[in-house]
Amino acid sequence: MLKLNRVTKNYAEFQAVKSVSLKINQGEIYGIIGASGAGKSTLLRIMNLLEVPDEGEVEVNGQTLTSMSGKQLRQARKSIGMIFQHFNLVANKTVYENVVVALELADFPKNERRNRVLECLQFVGLESMMDKYPAQLSGGQKQRVAIARALATNPQVLLCDEPTSALDPGTTADILGVLENINKSLGVTIVVVSHEMEVIKSICHTVTIMSDGEIYDTVSCKPKGMQRKENHPQYFVEELTKDVELDHA
Amino acid sequence: MLETLTQYETEIWQAIAETFVMVGVSILAAVIIGLPVGTLLFLCRKGNLLENQFVFSIVNLLVNIIRSFPFLLLVVFLIPFTRLMIGTAIGTAAATVPLSIIAIAHYSRLVEQSLLDVPKGVIEAAISMGASVKDVVFKFIYVEARSGLVLGLTTSIISFISYSTIMGVVGGGGIGDFAIRYGYQQFKTDLMMYVIIIMIILVQLIQFIGTSIARIIDKR
Ligand SMILES: Nc1ncnc2c1ncn2[C@@H]1O[C@H](COP(=O)(O)OP(=O)(O)O)[C@@H](O)[C@H]1O
Ligand SMILES: [Mg+2]
């Protein structure tokens, strides 16, 4: 459903992505992990042509993005959602306005926009925050709005660049839960870039490890279903037991 | 105070009206032409949406040249152009030409600076949603930069008032010209003081309104 064929990205002399090929299956949660500067974000941004590769092809939903006109590309991007580490909401728009703009861009029928926005906000549990501005929300809530915005146009793929790296552990777990739910209940293919092992381990079906602009390895993994209990107090006890010896007071 | 003012009432109102015309036209020019020019500067800048070194350099140079003229010299320099546009280089209408030119250059620079403050990530999010350049500008950049745009316009309007005070040299009239002709040249120092007070109040008022609007529309 998403294919990269020998994509290369250069910044002047520096090669950030070196002839990378990969294939992501429909309905998968695909993780990309690696050290800072490995080229993960660049690779992800190549997937919706936010970065235009110097060489290679990008294929999403059977369409070759790299051979499209500007207009076709804009159209194709409406079925590729994206969320970011710093949320990138419009601070001067309310939660509602932030989501509805995605529908305006997609020429979604005017009289159905409101219902669609409410539906998406309900999905992320924020319908009551509709008239608030991003500055009035917590980090986790902002990311939920960004997710609602990305989902509004019913994308087939959701690209996530460090979606939880600006969040605390509890909120990280919530957001990962939302992503997992999107994948399960809506069948959306998800690509997650992260430098945090916990994030990748807890939700990804396939994981690619990047290093110096290249794919080091790709493995598939099954979550053992013990992760997301982070909000339960017992989680903290278990986490502590992993690394330190406990003595109950 | 009231005595001197009532004595010159008609002249003062006339001068105020002339100032309003000159500053009003400058504001229109700033918004209708300066805003797009500033946006073009922003978009053509290196690394931005319409990156274009050639267009950027030319527009940038033009704006710099206009802004580096001492304003009085710009007015004189533009006389042939003004005559071409209006048919005459003398009078309030003619005065609006050089004022509009400086207004465009002045405000476009402030627009460019306000737009540069918009977080790159917001623009990226817009592009990732399939927004065209026009959509990015109108639905994202202007929305996010709106309080900066208002503050910039406020600063510009105050400068336009100041620029307009010297338009007496081409018969543009206005409140500054009045202060010089009646107050300074006819030694009516009190009259000049009153005019200055009127201008201070006017500028305070504009700044207050501009700052308040900018604060109200800023949700960041
Ligand atoms: N716009 C750019 N200009 C120059 N170098 C860049 C640019 N974007 C990324 N890089 C470089 O490319 C490399 C990979 O960056 P990135 O994909 O952001 O890494 P990661 O997301 O894995 O931390 C880094 O060394 C970074 O400095
Ligand atoms: Mg990164």
Side-chain angles (χ1 to χ4, degrees), chain A residues 45 88 90-93 104, chain B residues 121 124 127 139 143-144 219:
Chain A
R45 295 155 57 83
N88 297 349
V90 181
N92 280 334
K93 285 188 196 281
E104 289 170 16
Chain B
E124 277 184 356
I127 297 171
K139 293 183 195 284
V143 175
E144 208 62 336
K219 308 293 182 187

Side-chain angles (χ1 to χ4, degrees), chain A residues 126-192:
Chain A
L126 279 185
E127 67 275 25
S128 61
M129 300 285 188
M130 202 167 85
D131 297 319
K132 295 244 189 297
Y133 286 91
Q136 300 166 285
L137 304 180
S138 70
Q141 290 171 328
K142 284 183 207 170
Q143 195 60 293
R144 283 168 189 264
V145 177
I147 291 172
R149 176 174 74 174
L151 286 183
T153 52
N154 274 315
Q156 275 136 315
V157 198
L158 181 62
L159 308 176
C160 315
D161 192 359
E162 305 275 2
T164 60
S165 300
L167 306 175
D168 62 66
T171 318
T172 293
D174 292 343
I175 294 297
L176 293 178
V178 174
L179 292 180
E180 215 166 24
N181 189 14
I182 289 168
N183 174 257
K184 277 212 189 89
S185 62
L186 307 176
V188 175
T189 308
I190 297 185
V191 188
V192 190

Side-chain angles (χ1 to χ4, degrees), chain A residues 10-12 14-17 34-45 51 161-162 193 195 210:
Chain A
N10 305 314
Y11 292 115
F14 179 75
Q15 264 201 327
V17 172
S36 175
K40 308 179 294 292
S41 297
T42 307
L43 193 68
L44 188 79
R45 295 155 57 83
E51 299 293 348
D161 192 359
E162 305 275 2
V193 158
H195 67 279
M210 263 192 103

Side-chain angles (χ1 to χ4, degrees), chain A residues 97-112:
Chain A
E97 290 165 341
N98 263 288
V99 180
V100 84
V101 75
L103 298 175
E104 289 170 16
L105 294 175
D107 284 324
F108 201 85
K110 258 207 176 86
N111 53 347
E112 294 166 32

